mmCIF file of all heavy atoms in Angstrom:
data_model
loop_
_atom_site.group_PDB
_atom_site.id
_atom_site.type_symbol
_atom_site.label_atom_id
_atom_site.label_comp_id
_atom_site.label_asym_id
_atom_site.label_seq_id
_atom_site.Cartn_x
_atom_site.Cartn_y
_atom_site.Cartn_z
ATOM 1 N N TRP P 149 0.831 -1.248 -0.002
ATOM 2 C CA TRP P 149 -0.027 -0.011 0.090
ATOM 3 C C TRP P 149 0.878 1.224 0.007
ATOM 4 O O TRP P 149 2.104 1.315 0.409
ATOM 5 C CB TRP P 149 -0.855 0.096 1.272
ATOM 6 C CG TRP P 149 -2.035 -0.930 1.262
ATOM 7 C CD1 TRP P 149 -2.284 -1.905 0.329
ATOM 8 C CD2 TRP P 149 -2.995 -1.002 2.204
ATOM 9 N NE1 TRP P 149 -3.436 -2.571 0.701
ATOM 10 C CE2 TRP P 149 -3.916 -1.978 1.836
ATOM 11 C CE3 TRP P 149 -3.355 -0.215 3.430
ATOM 12 C CZ2 TRP P 149 -5.096 -2.338 2.603
ATOM 13 C CZ3 TRP P 149 -4.511 -0.631 4.164
ATOM 14 C CH2 TRP P 149 -5.305 -1.641 3.766
ATOM 15 N N CYS P 150 0.260 2.396 -0.396
ATOM 16 C CA CYS P 150 0.772 3.704 -0.171
ATOM 17 C C CYS P 150 -0.432 4.638 0.147
ATOM 18 O O CYS P 150 -1.511 4.322 0.035
ATOM 19 C CB CYS P 150 1.500 4.203 -1.441
ATOM 20 S SG CYS P 150 0.531 4.318 -3.012
ATOM 21 N N PHE P 151 -0.041 5.804 0.699
ATOM 22 C CA PHE P 151 -1.070 6.681 1.253
ATOM 23 C C PHE P 151 -1.108 8.069 0.774
ATOM 24 O O PHE P 151 -1.869 8.910 1.359
ATOM 25 C CB PHE P 151 -0.990 6.637 2.825
ATOM 26 C CG PHE P 151 -1.297 5.292 3.387
ATOM 27 C CD1 PHE P 151 -0.354 4.311 3.490
ATOM 28 C CD2 PHE P 151 -2.575 4.933 3.757
ATOM 29 C CE1 PHE P 151 -0.523 3.093 4.005
ATOM 30 C CE2 PHE P 151 -2.808 3.662 4.272
ATOM 31 C CZ PHE P 151 -1.852 2.745 4.382
ATOM 32 N N SER P 152 -0.463 8.397 -0.289
ATOM 33 C CA SER P 152 -0.457 9.754 -0.948
ATOM 34 C C SER P 152 -1.400 9.690 -2.131
ATOM 35 O O SER P 152 -1.197 8.694 -2.969
ATOM 36 C CB SER P 152 0.951 10.215 -1.279
ATOM 37 O OG SER P 152 1.710 10.298 -0.181
ATOM 38 N N LYS P 153 -2.253 10.595 -2.353
ATOM 39 C CA LYS P 153 -3.174 10.549 -3.366
ATOM 40 C C LYS P 153 -2.396 10.477 -4.789
ATOM 41 O O LYS P 153 -1.437 11.319 -5.043
ATOM 42 C CB LYS P 153 -4.143 11.773 -3.443
ATOM 43 C CG LYS P 153 -5.169 11.723 -4.541
ATOM 44 C CD LYS P 153 -6.115 12.817 -4.464
ATOM 45 C CE LYS P 153 -7.207 12.758 -5.390
ATOM 46 N NZ LYS P 153 -8.336 13.829 -5.371
ATOM 47 N N GLY P 154 -2.680 9.520 -5.581
ATOM 48 C CA GLY P 154 -1.929 9.416 -6.832
ATOM 49 C C GLY P 154 -0.659 8.482 -6.857
ATOM 50 O O GLY P 154 0.015 8.410 -7.826
ATOM 51 N N CYS P 155 -0.395 7.984 -5.671
ATOM 52 C CA CYS P 155 0.851 7.281 -5.482
ATOM 53 C C CYS P 155 0.816 5.832 -6.114
ATOM 54 O O CYS P 155 1.792 5.153 -6.290
ATOM 55 C CB CYS P 155 1.270 7.128 -4.042
ATOM 56 S SG CYS P 155 0.013 6.198 -2.999
ATOM 57 N N GLY P 156 -0.516 5.445 -6.421
ATOM 58 C CA GLY P 156 -0.611 4.013 -6.981
ATOM 59 C C GLY P 156 -1.959 3.955 -7.633
ATOM 60 O O GLY P 156 -2.478 4.814 -8.209
ATOM 61 N N LEU P 157 -2.472 2.700 -7.521
ATOM 62 C CA LEU P 157 -3.738 2.350 -8.124
ATOM 63 C C LEU P 157 -4.784 2.202 -7.016
ATOM 64 O O LEU P 157 -4.571 1.635 -6.030
ATOM 65 C CB LEU P 157 -3.655 0.953 -8.866
ATOM 66 C CG LEU P 157 -2.513 0.947 -9.928
ATOM 67 C CD1 LEU P 157 -2.286 -0.539 -10.320
ATOM 68 C CD2 LEU P 157 -2.868 1.794 -11.213
ATOM 69 N N VAL P 158 -5.940 2.739 -7.265
ATOM 70 C CA VAL P 158 -7.021 2.668 -6.345
ATOM 71 C C VAL P 158 -7.742 1.399 -6.366
ATOM 72 O O VAL P 158 -8.094 0.854 -7.537
ATOM 73 C CB VAL P 158 -8.147 3.714 -6.635
ATOM 74 C CG1 VAL P 158 -9.308 3.527 -5.600
ATOM 75 C CG2 VAL P 158 -7.492 5.135 -6.535
ATOM 76 N N PRO P 159 -7.752 0.541 -5.328
ATOM 77 C CA PRO P 159 -8.363 -0.874 -5.360
ATOM 78 C C PRO P 159 -9.765 -0.721 -5.564
ATOM 79 O O PRO P 159 -10.543 0.142 -5.174
ATOM 80 C CB PRO P 159 -8.080 -1.330 -3.864
ATOM 81 C CG PRO P 159 -7.028 -0.444 -3.437
ATOM 82 C CD PRO P 159 -7.176 0.969 -3.980
ATOM 83 N N ARG P 160 -10.210 -1.655 -6.464
ATOM 84 C CA ARG P 160 -11.657 -1.766 -6.720
ATOM 85 C C ARG P 160 -12.369 -2.156 -5.439
ATOM 86 O O ARG P 160 -11.941 -3.128 -4.770
ATOM 87 C CB ARG P 160 -11.899 -2.703 -7.867
ATOM 88 C CG ARG P 160 -11.377 -2.330 -9.254
ATOM 89 C CD ARG P 160 -11.901 -3.254 -10.330
ATOM 90 N NE ARG P 160 -11.250 -2.826 -11.552
ATOM 91 C CZ ARG P 160 -10.421 -3.575 -12.275
ATOM 92 N NH1 ARG P 160 -9.976 -4.553 -11.629
ATOM 93 N NH2 ARG P 160 -9.871 -3.027 -13.418
ATOM 94 N N GLY P 161 -13.547 -1.587 -5.132
ATOM 95 C CA GLY P 161 -14.238 -1.915 -3.880
ATOM 96 C C GLY P 161 -13.583 -1.349 -2.623
ATOM 97 O O GLY P 161 -13.883 -1.878 -1.529
ATOM 98 N N ARG P 162 -12.754 -0.411 -2.699
ATOM 99 C CA ARG P 162 -12.131 0.181 -1.591
ATOM 100 C C ARG P 162 -13.273 0.737 -0.616
ATOM 101 O O ARG P 162 -14.218 1.397 -1.129
ATOM 102 C CB ARG P 162 -11.217 1.324 -2.039
ATOM 103 C CG ARG P 162 -10.320 1.965 -0.849
ATOM 104 C CD ARG P 162 -9.415 2.977 -1.304
ATOM 105 N NE ARG P 162 -10.097 4.183 -1.883
ATOM 106 C CZ ARG P 162 -9.345 5.244 -2.348
ATOM 107 N NH1 ARG P 162 -8.073 5.214 -2.254
ATOM 108 N NH2 ARG P 162 -9.881 6.243 -2.883
ATOM 109 N N ALA P 163 -13.167 0.543 0.632
ATOM 110 C CA ALA P 163 -14.174 1.045 1.507
ATOM 111 C C ALA P 163 -14.346 2.492 1.474
ATOM 112 O O ALA P 163 -13.356 3.242 1.360
ATOM 113 C CB ALA P 163 -13.827 0.558 2.965
ATOM 114 N N GLU P 164 -15.585 3.001 1.705
ATOM 115 C CA GLU P 164 -15.861 4.441 1.649
ATOM 116 C C GLU P 164 -15.027 5.004 2.806
ATOM 117 O O GLU P 164 -15.044 4.575 3.894
ATOM 118 C CB GLU P 164 -17.268 4.600 1.861
ATOM 119 C CG GLU P 164 -17.758 6.068 1.707
ATOM 120 C CD GLU P 164 -19.205 6.288 1.812
ATOM 121 O OE1 GLU P 164 -20.020 5.247 1.923
ATOM 122 O OE2 GLU P 164 -19.655 7.520 1.907
ATOM 123 N N GLY P 165 -14.368 6.133 2.560
ATOM 124 C CA GLY P 165 -13.549 6.795 3.532
ATOM 125 C C GLY P 165 -12.151 6.429 3.585
ATOM 126 O O GLY P 165 -11.372 7.065 4.195
ATOM 127 N N ALA P 166 -11.868 5.269 2.976
ATOM 128 C CA ALA P 166 -10.410 4.760 2.912
ATOM 129 C C ALA P 166 -9.600 5.652 1.935
ATOM 130 O O ALA P 166 -10.186 6.067 0.958
ATOM 131 C CB ALA P 166 -10.268 3.323 2.627
ATOM 132 N N SER P 167 -8.327 5.862 2.220
ATOM 133 C CA SER P 167 -7.490 6.639 1.336
ATOM 134 C C SER P 167 -6.287 5.831 0.764
ATOM 135 O O SER P 167 -5.569 6.407 -0.022
ATOM 136 C CB SER P 167 -6.992 7.741 2.213
ATOM 137 O OG SER P 167 -6.167 7.429 3.252
ATOM 138 N N HIS P 168 -6.101 4.644 1.125
ATOM 139 C CA HIS P 168 -4.949 3.886 0.665
ATOM 140 C C HIS P 168 -4.959 3.587 -0.822
ATOM 141 O O HIS P 168 -6.176 3.455 -1.405
ATOM 142 C CB HIS P 168 -4.729 2.633 1.429
ATOM 143 C CG HIS P 168 -5.851 1.534 1.204
ATOM 144 N ND1 HIS P 168 -7.081 1.570 1.803
ATOM 145 C CD2 HIS P 168 -5.895 0.564 0.337
ATOM 146 C CE1 HIS P 168 -7.728 0.575 1.385
ATOM 147 N NE2 HIS P 168 -6.994 -0.104 0.428
ATOM 148 N N GLU P 169 -3.887 3.464 -1.524
ATOM 149 C CA GLU P 169 -3.766 2.931 -2.830
ATOM 150 C C GLU P 169 -2.789 1.799 -2.833
ATOM 151 O O GLU P 169 -2.083 1.649 -1.918
ATOM 152 C CB GLU P 169 -3.406 4.128 -3.819
ATOM 153 C CG GLU P 169 -4.382 5.261 -3.836
ATOM 154 C CD GLU P 169 -3.916 6.359 -4.778
ATOM 155 O OE1 GLU P 169 -3.013 6.211 -5.512
ATOM 156 O OE2 GLU P 169 -4.552 7.412 -4.676
ATOM 157 N N VAL P 170 -2.720 1.084 -3.935
ATOM 158 C CA VAL P 170 -1.793 0.095 -3.969
ATOM 159 C C VAL P 170 -0.620 0.602 -4.889
ATOM 160 O O VAL P 170 -0.779 1.069 -5.984
ATOM 161 C CB VAL P 170 -2.349 -1.266 -4.706
ATOM 162 C CG1 VAL P 170 -1.183 -2.279 -4.933
ATOM 163 C CG2 VAL P 170 -3.488 -1.792 -3.881
ATOM 164 N N ALA P 171 0.581 0.551 -4.184
ATOM 165 C CA ALA P 171 1.692 1.320 -4.676
ATOM 166 C C ALA P 171 2.088 0.890 -6.199
ATOM 167 O O ALA P 171 2.000 -0.143 -6.623
ATOM 168 C CB ALA P 171 2.917 1.061 -3.773
ATOM 169 N N ASP P 172 2.470 2.050 -6.884
ATOM 170 C CA ASP P 172 2.994 1.874 -8.265
ATOM 171 C C ASP P 172 4.498 1.910 -8.339
ATOM 172 O O ASP P 172 5.070 2.957 -7.744
ATOM 173 C CB ASP P 172 2.340 3.075 -9.110
ATOM 174 C CG ASP P 172 2.821 3.090 -10.488
ATOM 175 O OD1 ASP P 172 3.311 1.955 -11.028
ATOM 176 O OD2 ASP P 172 2.737 4.051 -11.179
ATOM 177 N N PHE P 173 5.129 0.975 -8.856
ATOM 178 C CA PHE P 173 6.680 0.923 -8.835
ATOM 179 C C PHE P 173 7.196 1.070 -10.238
ATOM 180 O O PHE P 173 6.493 0.744 -11.268
ATOM 181 C CB PHE P 173 7.173 -0.358 -8.287
ATOM 182 C CG PHE P 173 6.879 -0.459 -6.796
ATOM 183 C CD1 PHE P 173 5.848 -1.374 -6.378
ATOM 184 C CD2 PHE P 173 7.626 0.157 -5.815
ATOM 185 C CE1 PHE P 173 5.480 -1.509 -4.978
ATOM 186 C CE2 PHE P 173 7.365 0.042 -4.458
ATOM 187 C CZ PHE P 173 6.349 -0.761 -4.057
ATOM 188 N N ALA P 174 8.402 1.598 -10.437
ATOM 189 C CA ALA P 174 8.979 1.895 -11.625
ATOM 190 C C ALA P 174 9.400 0.572 -12.301
ATOM 191 O O ALA P 174 9.391 0.541 -13.573
ATOM 192 C CB ALA P 174 10.203 2.752 -11.499
ATOM 193 N N SER P 175 9.600 -0.350 -11.604
ATOM 194 C CA SER P 175 9.972 -1.794 -12.144
ATOM 195 C C SER P 175 9.648 -2.804 -11.096
ATOM 196 O O SER P 175 9.658 -2.573 -9.915
ATOM 197 C CB SER P 175 11.451 -1.739 -12.573
ATOM 198 O OG SER P 175 12.245 -1.730 -11.427
ATOM 199 N N PRO P 176 9.529 -4.055 -11.570
ATOM 200 C CA PRO P 176 9.451 -5.192 -10.585
ATOM 201 C C PRO P 176 10.698 -5.277 -9.616
ATOM 202 O O PRO P 176 10.441 -5.605 -8.386
ATOM 203 C CB PRO P 176 9.493 -6.329 -11.459
ATOM 204 C CG PRO P 176 8.865 -5.902 -12.776
ATOM 205 C CD PRO P 176 9.389 -4.701 -12.894
ATOM 206 N N TYR P 177 11.871 -4.962 -9.985
ATOM 207 C CA TYR P 177 13.018 -4.840 -9.129
ATOM 208 C C TYR P 177 12.699 -3.925 -7.969
ATOM 209 O O TYR P 177 13.097 -4.289 -6.780
ATOM 210 C CB TYR P 177 14.272 -4.507 -9.831
ATOM 211 C CG TYR P 177 15.386 -4.200 -8.874
ATOM 212 C CD1 TYR P 177 16.025 -5.340 -8.194
ATOM 213 C CD2 TYR P 177 15.753 -2.943 -8.464
ATOM 214 C CE1 TYR P 177 17.143 -5.028 -7.334
ATOM 215 C CE2 TYR P 177 16.739 -2.661 -7.554
ATOM 216 C CZ TYR P 177 17.429 -3.746 -6.941
ATOM 217 O OH TYR P 177 18.352 -3.466 -6.076
ATOM 218 N N ARG P 178 12.098 -2.764 -8.256
ATOM 219 C CA ARG P 178 11.902 -1.725 -7.159
ATOM 220 C C ARG P 178 10.841 -2.305 -6.145
ATOM 221 O O ARG P 178 10.927 -2.123 -5.057
ATOM 222 C CB ARG P 178 11.333 -0.512 -7.696
ATOM 223 C CG ARG P 178 12.427 0.335 -8.620
ATOM 224 C CD ARG P 178 13.537 0.761 -7.789
ATOM 225 N NE ARG P 178 14.546 1.418 -8.618
ATOM 226 C CZ ARG P 178 15.684 1.903 -8.171
ATOM 227 N NH1 ARG P 178 15.961 1.806 -6.836
ATOM 228 N NH2 ARG P 178 16.437 2.600 -8.907
ATOM 229 N N SER P 179 9.854 -3.142 -6.755
ATOM 230 C CA SER P 179 8.919 -3.767 -5.879
ATOM 231 C C SER P 179 9.530 -4.769 -4.955
ATOM 232 O O SER P 179 9.216 -4.912 -3.698
ATOM 233 C CB SER P 179 7.848 -4.462 -6.675
ATOM 234 O OG SER P 179 6.959 -5.197 -5.981
ATOM 235 N N VAL P 180 10.541 -5.587 -5.463
ATOM 236 C CA VAL P 180 11.266 -6.550 -4.699
ATOM 237 C C VAL P 180 12.007 -5.753 -3.497
ATOM 238 O O VAL P 180 11.958 -6.182 -2.416
ATOM 239 C CB VAL P 180 12.192 -7.417 -5.522
ATOM 240 C CG1 VAL P 180 13.108 -8.213 -4.711
ATOM 241 C CG2 VAL P 180 11.362 -8.329 -6.440
ATOM 242 N N ARG P 181 12.715 -4.758 -3.929
ATOM 243 C CA ARG P 181 13.477 -4.039 -2.981
ATOM 244 C C ARG P 181 12.720 -3.423 -1.882
ATOM 245 O O ARG P 181 13.049 -3.428 -0.735
ATOM 246 C CB ARG P 181 14.308 -2.913 -3.758
ATOM 247 C CG ARG P 181 15.173 -2.128 -2.796
ATOM 248 C CD ARG P 181 16.597 -2.905 -2.324
ATOM 249 N NE ARG P 181 17.137 -2.261 -1.182
ATOM 250 C CZ ARG P 181 18.350 -2.158 -0.998
ATOM 251 N NH1 ARG P 181 19.255 -2.677 -1.820
ATOM 252 N NH2 ARG P 181 18.887 -1.549 0.050
ATOM 253 N N ALA P 182 11.486 -2.864 -2.309
ATOM 254 C CA ALA P 182 10.598 -2.289 -1.330
ATOM 255 C C ALA P 182 9.963 -3.307 -0.383
ATOM 256 O O ALA P 182 9.743 -2.947 0.819
ATOM 257 C CB ALA P 182 9.544 -1.444 -2.112
ATOM 258 N N TYR P 183 9.661 -4.406 -0.917
ATOM 259 C CA TYR P 183 9.158 -5.571 -0.109
ATOM 260 C C TYR P 183 10.108 -5.913 0.949
ATOM 261 O O TYR P 183 9.726 -6.139 2.132
ATOM 262 C CB TYR P 183 8.747 -6.769 -1.060
ATOM 263 C CG TYR P 183 8.668 -8.005 -0.325
ATOM 264 C CD1 TYR P 183 7.450 -8.418 0.257
ATOM 265 C CD2 TYR P 183 9.841 -8.920 -0.291
ATOM 266 C CE1 TYR P 183 7.459 -9.735 0.859
ATOM 267 C CE2 TYR P 183 9.757 -10.148 0.262
ATOM 268 C CZ TYR P 183 8.660 -10.592 0.909
ATOM 269 O OH TYR P 183 8.466 -11.817 1.470
ATOM 270 N N ILE P 184 11.354 -6.103 0.561
ATOM 271 C CA ILE P 184 12.468 -6.472 1.562
ATOM 272 C C ILE P 184 12.591 -5.336 2.532
ATOM 273 O O ILE P 184 12.637 -5.625 3.860
ATOM 274 C CB ILE P 184 13.735 -6.652 0.867
ATOM 275 C CG1 ILE P 184 13.725 -7.904 -0.065
ATOM 276 C CG2 ILE P 184 14.888 -6.918 1.756
ATOM 277 C CD1 ILE P 184 14.888 -8.073 -0.982
ATOM 278 N N GLN P 185 12.578 -4.146 2.157
ATOM 279 C CA GLN P 185 12.586 -2.976 3.135
ATOM 280 C C GLN P 185 11.353 -3.112 4.079
ATOM 281 O O GLN P 185 11.544 -2.900 5.251
ATOM 282 C CB GLN P 185 12.558 -1.669 2.427
ATOM 283 C CG GLN P 185 12.503 -0.476 3.324
ATOM 284 C CD GLN P 185 12.671 0.764 2.578
ATOM 285 O OE1 GLN P 185 13.792 1.255 2.125
ATOM 286 N NE2 GLN P 185 11.458 1.380 2.324
ATOM 287 N N ASN P 186 10.179 -3.397 3.621
ATOM 288 C CA ASN P 186 9.064 -3.488 4.490
ATOM 289 C C ASN P 186 9.194 -4.549 5.580
ATOM 290 O O ASN P 186 8.947 -4.261 6.724
ATOM 291 C CB ASN P 186 7.831 -3.773 3.544
ATOM 292 C CG ASN P 186 6.571 -3.839 4.366
ATOM 293 O OD1 ASN P 186 6.320 -3.049 5.211
ATOM 294 N ND2 ASN P 186 5.640 -4.699 3.868
ATOM 295 N N LEU P 187 9.697 -5.705 5.107
ATOM 296 C CA LEU P 187 9.870 -6.769 6.114
ATOM 297 C C LEU P 187 10.990 -6.374 7.157
ATOM 298 O O LEU P 187 11.052 -6.933 8.267
ATOM 299 C CB LEU P 187 10.239 -8.117 5.479
ATOM 300 C CG LEU P 187 9.169 -8.695 4.583
ATOM 301 C CD1 LEU P 187 9.561 -10.218 4.132
ATOM 302 C CD2 LEU P 187 7.794 -8.740 5.287
#
């Protein structure tokens, strides 16, 4: 997830009042690196 407007993709069926988006990465490698950082 990410929490800045426009930082990613809005999930379909997102609960009313929720602000999270699913993060958009420049490449799959960046997604892997961010996942490792998250853990």
